[in-house]
Amino acid sequence: MESTSKHQVAHPFWPRDLSIPNYVPNDRSMSEILTFLFSVSGVFLLATWGITGRENASGRLGVWRRLAVCWFAVCGFIHGVIEGWFSLYYEVIPADQSFLSQLWKEYSKGDSRYAIADNFTVCMETITAWLWGPFSFWAVYAFLTNKPYRFVLQLIISLGQLYGAVLYFYTEHRDGYAHSEMGHPIYFWFYFVFLNALWVIIPLVLIVDAWGQLSGAQALTDNARSHKSKRT
């Protein structure tokens, strides 16, 4: 009985009696993993910031718009590469020592649903990786080339991200926050709350922005039609 108990807690995840028989501890440190994640995200952000500073057919993008495009570039990387890895290899991640698998094992300290391939997280991350990843890069292209559908893409992506994030938090709330060490400054507040809250706050802002842009365009179209009908 004692050996069974020890076997059950031979991992860093919560709840402590979670059974992950194939778990292999990371040989990469937290600092290595986080440095990689934020360094690559920073490269995408800085590269996109530089590209968006160039003048295009409609002139230069404003600071706010450039930041929004940078956000979509970083989302493309995180959704397509990081979450894409999870969607493909979720069954082997606990035992795998590939760098991205170790990244997910590190994140699982804040949400062990990823270590046990919980049905919701697998479905949500697969949709996020294969829809919002490519769509995010498409949005970057659309804004750089001033495509007329750019704000439609912004609205679709942001709604999808917001919906996924709300379900992510709400399903864990219904589970009583059982998959993390409640109140831990890094695993709970930083990994689980802060990093995921970004996909609530920023998409909300972008939804409001897209709403305003699309409503304004529709108002101009309606006014033009009204003036045309009065002339005829």
Side-chain angles (χ1 to χ4, degrees):
M1 187 74 177
E2 185 179 348
S3 62
T4 303
S5 175
K6 286 181 181 178
H7 177 73
Q8 286 179 333
V9 297
H11 57 70
F13 310 124
W14 288 72
R16 301 302 291 134
D17 60 355
L18 200 64
S19 177
I20 310 177
N22 60 338
Y23 172 72
V24 176
N26 282 353
D27 56 23
R28 301 273 187 174
S29 68
M30 176 198 295
S31 59
E32 286 181 274
I33 292 169
L34 294 183
T35 297
F36 164 80
L37 177 63
F38 292 116
S39 295
V40 177
S41 298
V43 167
F44 270 88
L45 191 151
L46 290 174
T48 309
W49 180 260
I51 293 169
T52 55
R54 300 173 184 171
E55 194 160 353
N56 58 32
S58 62
R60 291 182 184 275
L61 296 175
V63 172
W64 156 252
R65 193 61 55 206
R66 291 174 70 188
L67 287 172
V69 177
C70 288
W71 163 256
F72 285 122
V74 173
C75 284
F77 161 65
I78 293 176
H79 295 333
V81 178
I82 306 296
E83 292 169 290
W85 182 273
F86 178 82
S87 76
L88 293 173
Y89 301 109
Y90 60 87
E91 291 181 325
V92 301
I93 280 175
D96 188 44
Q97 292 295 75
S98 300
F99 191 89
L100 290 181
S101 292
Q102 293 198 47
L103 184 153
W104 279 111
K105 284 190 280 186
E106 175 64 28
Y107 177 77
S108 294
K109 295 174 184 177
D111 186 351
S112 64
R113 291 180 292 178
Y114 287 87
I116 59 173
D118 169 79
N119 279 336
F120 169 75
T121 54
V122 170
C123 294
M124 180 198 67
E125 295 294 359
T126 300
I127 292 169
T128 299
W130 299 102
L131 278 182
W132 311 139
F135 271 47
S136 293
F137 285 129
W138 187 11
V140 172
Y141 166 77
F143 277 101
L144 290 177
T145 54
N146 205 38
K147 296 296 182 185
Y149 55 77
R150 58 193 184 277
F151 288 105
V152 176
L153 274 178
Q154 178 174 307
L155 182 62
I156 292 171
I157 296 164
S158 300
L159 280 170
Q161 290 174 328
L162 178 62
Y163 183 64
V166 169
L167 285 180
Y168 177 76
F169 280 122
Y170 190 48
T171 51
E172 182 60 7
H173 172 72
R174 286 184 58 82
D175 282 339
Y177 301 101
H179 300 98
S180 182
E181 184 178 355
M182 187 76 165
H184 192 285
I186 296 176
Y187 303 143
F188 182 79
W189 287 112
F190 183 64
Y191 286 5
F192 177 70
V193 176
F194 174 74
L195 291 180
N196 290 289
L198 294 176
W199 273 271
V200 174
I201 297 167
I202 298 176
L204 264 176
V205 173
L206 292 174
I207 287 167
V208 172
D209 174 55
W211 179 287
Q213 295 286 344
L214 294 171
S215 297
Q218 186 64 54
L220 287 175
T221 301
D222 292 343
N223 288 335
R225 285 176 180 168
S226 176
H227 290 312
K228 185 177 179 180
S229 65
K230 285 179 182 177
R231 289 195 208 103
T232 57

